[in-house]
Amino acid sequence: MTRPVVGVIGNHHLIENRFACQLVGERNLWALAQVCGALPLTFAGCPEITDMEALLATVDGIVLTGARANVHPSRFGLAEDPAHEPYDARRDSLALALVEACVDRGVPLLAICRGFQEMAVAYGSTLHPEIRNLPGRMNHRMPRLPNGEIHPDQEVVFADRHEVRLAPGGAFARIMGRDLIRVNSLHGQGIMQAGPRVVVEGVAEDETIEAIRVDGAKGFALGVQWHAEYDPQTNPVNRALFEAFGQAISGYSKAA
Ligand SMILES: N[C@@H](CCC(=O)NCCCC(=O)O)C(=O)O
């Protein structure tokens, strides 16, 4: 029995400000291999070189990963702002189309952080570019040193930072087996207004939306604002999510 194959989207980076690359956070790949029993297969976040039909004929699931670049504000009716760069318009285009294709066909889809935002925007949600600036909101960005540098210890950066209250009886509460969890937090953007098919399944103490599903999806279509890929090997909350995704990809039949 071969492993199910999961497509993992890449994101654009300029290495040394000259060398264009498609990168993917390695922890996404380890989580899929070790907890879902999948073969992770990265693909470019570039619609120009990605045949979606060929991709979806090849994979048993898709993961839209986190990424430093923000979803372009034109996708939700706002003007771009240098303060909220970088953007990754190619990834936006491919990811938003993939969300709808997966939802319509029942291809299991797990959306993480930026991917969560892409899932939300694909179905008409708006985002706020810097939610920590909203009254009453926490700072959801990764912790930094007093001098402003990103904290050098990954355990600190990815430590649980806040609670998420899950909708009782909802998809996430059923997967997690509880209504209250704690999660890490590494994002600046957040959902302002959920679109009509975006079901809010979990919110933080400051009402920031942290977990969603797409209403009417034929298959697994869940998104989380936190970085569940960081430690599903040891963290029961993230393990439950990746195991549920693993069941979905194992049970998915491309032939259907
Ligand atoms: N850019 C968006 C999404 C946040 C996200 O995916 N964070 C991952 C960060 C990985 C890194 O810093 O390289 C936002 O900021 O909301």
Side-chain angles (χ1 to χ4, degrees):
M1 182 74 172
T2 58
R3 287 181 165 229
V5 177
V6 175
V8 184
I9 195 168
N11 52 101
H12 173 76
H13 273 267
L14 267 183
I15 302 290
E16 295 171 359
N17 210 25
R18 60 180 180 82
F19 184 44
C21 292
Q22 282 288 314
L23 303 186
V24 65
E26 190 173 322
R27 285 186 179 269
N28 295 284
L29 311 180
W30 285 91
L32 288 166
Q34 293 183 321
V35 183
C36 302
L39 168 65
L41 213 53
T42 59
F43 61 93
C46 304
E48 301 88 339
I49 59 172
T50 304
D51 176 334
M52 189 140 60
E53 291 307 321
L55 174 64
L56 295 183
T58 304
V59 301
D60 303 293
I62 291 283
V63 169
L64 300 178
T65 67
R68 187 155 300 177
N70 283 333
V71 178
H72 196 279
S74 61
R75 297 287 180 170
F76 45 93
L78 295 183
E80 70 178 49
D81 181 340
H84 300 136
E85 293 177 353
Y87 299 122
D88 187 346
R90 285 192 166 127
R91 166 148 174 184
D92 291 344
S93 296
L94 180 56
L96 298 187
L98 262 178
V99 167
E100 292 193 83
C102 289
V103 166
D104 291 346
R105 305 179 192 202
V107 179
L109 173 64
L110 176 58
I112 297 172
C113 207
R114 188 197 212 269
F116 160 96
Q117 295 163 2
E118 290 163 339
M119 176 182 275
V121 169
Y123 285 101
S125 305
T126 59
L127 305 181
H128 189 282
E130 196 65 71
I131 51 170
R132 64 180 169 180
N133 292 343
L134 292 171
R137 297 296 180 102
M138 302 181 285
N139 178 1
H140 287 255
R141 285 193 173 279
M142 64 176 74
R144 291 177 178 270
L145 295 172
N147 67 5
E149 290 177 5
I150 292 174
H151 198 289
D153 181 346
Q154 287 288 82
E155 293 295 311
V156 171
V157 170
F158 284 91
D160 288 348
R161 298 263 301 288
H162 62 70
E163 292 178 344
V164 173
R165 198 172 53 254
L166 300 175
F172 281 85
R174 291 197 306 273
I175 288 171
M176 307 291 180
R178 65 185 85 170
D179 291 352
L180 190 65
I181 59 176
R182 284 188 65 79
V183 300
N184 60 39
S185 188
L186 296 86
H187 63 103
Q189 298 198 131
I191 295 174
M192 273 304 278
Q193 182 64 45
R197 287 185 63 184
V198 176
V199 179
V200 176
E201 287 260 348
V203 294
E205 301 102 307
D206 66 353
E207 298 307 314
T208 295
I209 296 171
E210 292 279 340
I212 60 173
R213 67 177 171 84
V214 178
D215 189 30
K218 282 182 67 176
F220 185 109
L222 302 183
V224 292
Q225 182 65 84
W226 72 89
H227 281 269
E229 84 285 356
Y230 178 69
D231 58 1
Q233 298 85 348
T234 54
N235 178 326
V237 166
N238 297 326
R239 171 179 284 279
L241 180 61
F242 271 84
E243 285 180 343
F245 185 61
Q247 287 164 13
I249 61 175
S250 299
Y252 173 67
S253 165
K254 291 192 278 288

